[in-house]
Amino acid sequence: MITRLRRESKRILRPIANALTKIGVKANEITIIGLVLSIIYFIVLYISKNPLYGVILLALSSFSDALDGEVARISGTAGNKGAFLDSSLDRVEDTLFLSPLVLYFQPVLVSLLVGISLIIPYLRARAEALGIKAEGRGIIERGERIIFTMIILILLFFNFTFTIYVFYLFIALSIVTVIQRFQLVLSNLPK
């Protein structure tokens, strides 16, 4: 879903990436900034317990994540090293984004969500290592997980009681995505 929107977002990202490239900012530096912002998000949310601060920091970290790839493409520095760094740190960030939800929901369910959220990109990486295109496959990819997390934090800020149902929906859709990716790989492999 978000994969399609990513193409449209380039209209916003490209001018910013061009400006950053001109002043010498490197894609890996932006990737590290995104990681630092996710660590700050984690700490601030645990200390303040204010979901609104979390939304702001999550948005900034996610914006950095969207921007680093564009800077790499524009500067001609896109490569395996940067891609490895980016995807590895994305997993760390995903863990940092979801873990503070234990402040609001049952820890075992948050742990389940963190685990599933790490399995989804693993299945994509494994599929692509087998030559099966998995980007855009599955109902909830990283972008959707970040949006779900933001929605939950916003709802928590306003103290809506139905936030728990949005959280359950998040878990359910994540499980569906794991199943979809398993089916994708298994149906594309020889018997």
Side-chain angles (χ1 to χ4, degrees), residues 87-88 90-92 94-95 98 113-129 134-135 137 140-142 145 174 177-178 181:
S87 64
S88 298
D90 282 353
R91 303 300 70 83
V92 174
D94 290 348
T95 304
L98 295 173
L113 182 60
V114 170
I116 293 167
S117 294
L118 296 175
I119 292 168
I120 292 169
Y122 170 78
L123 291 172
R124 174 183 167 186
R126 197 67 191 114
E128 291 178 355
E135 182 181 12
R137 303 301 291 267
I140 216 169
E141 292 187 280
R142 186 166 194 257
R145 289 193 302 275
S174 297
T177 303
V178 168
R181 290 211 170 157

Side-chain angles (χ1 to χ4, degrees), residues 13 23 42 55 61 74 88-90 103 112 134 139 143 180 186:
L13 293 175
I23 62 171
F42 179 85
V55 170
S61 179
I74 289 171
S88 298
L89 294 185
D90 282 353
L103 297 169
L112 176 67
I139 196 164
Q180 288 174 317
L186 293 176

Side-chain angles (χ1 to χ4, degrees), residues 91-186:
R91 303 300 70 83
V92 174
E93 291 170 9
D94 290 348
T95 304
L96 292 170
F97 292 156
L98 295 173
S99 294
L101 294 179
V102 299
L103 297 169
Y104 313 103
F105 305 107
Q106 291 180 356
V108 69
L109 293 177
V110 175
S111 298
L112 176 67
L113 182 60
V114 170
I116 293 167
S117 294
L118 296 175
I119 292 168
I120 292 169
Y122 170 78
L123 291 172
R124 174 183 167 186
R126 197 67 191 114
E128 291 178 355
L130 295 168
I132 301 166
K133 184 183 178 325
E135 182 181 12
R137 303 301 291 267
I139 196 164
I140 216 169
E141 292 187 280
R142 186 166 194 257
E144 289 90 356
R145 289 193 302 275
I146 290 170
I147 289 170
F148 254 99
T149 306
M150 284 184 176
I151 290 169
I152 287 169
L153 291 172
I154 290 167
L155 293 174
L156 285 167
F157 180 75
F158 290 107
N159 203 18
F160 289 123
T161 54
F162 65 86
T163 307
I164 188 71
Y165 299 108
V166 176
F167 177 69
Y168 291 151
L169 178 63
F170 188 9
I171 293 171
L173 292 176
S174 297
I175 291 169
V176 168
T177 303
V178 168
I179 294 167
Q180 288 174 317
R181 290 211 170 157
F182 261 104
Q183 288 177 328
L184 170 72
V185 173
L186 293 176

Side-chain angles (χ1 to χ4, degrees), residues 48-102:
S48 73
K49 295 178 182 48
N50 186 330
L52 188 58
Y53 296 151
V55 170
I56 294 165
L57 289 163
L58 179 57
L60 291 171
S61 179
S62 300
F63 183 73
S64 297
D65 187 51
L67 196 56
D68 60 3
E70 196 63 27
V71 168
R73 282 185 284 284
I74 289 171
S75 64
T77 58
N80 290 335
K81 191 174 187 180
F84 173 77
L85 179 69
D86 183 49
S87 64
S88 298
L89 294 185
D90 282 353
R91 303 300 70 83
V92 174
E93 291 170 9
D94 290 348
T95 304
L96 292 170
F97 292 156
L98 295 173
S99 294
L101 294 179
V102 299

Side-chain angles (χ1 to χ4, degrees), residues 13-31:
L13 293 175
R14 187 156 293 158
I16 298 168
N18 276 324
L20 291 171
T21 302
K22 284 179 186 171
I23 62 171
V25 176
K26 294 177 178 38
N28 288 347
E29 294 169 346
I30 297 171
T31 302

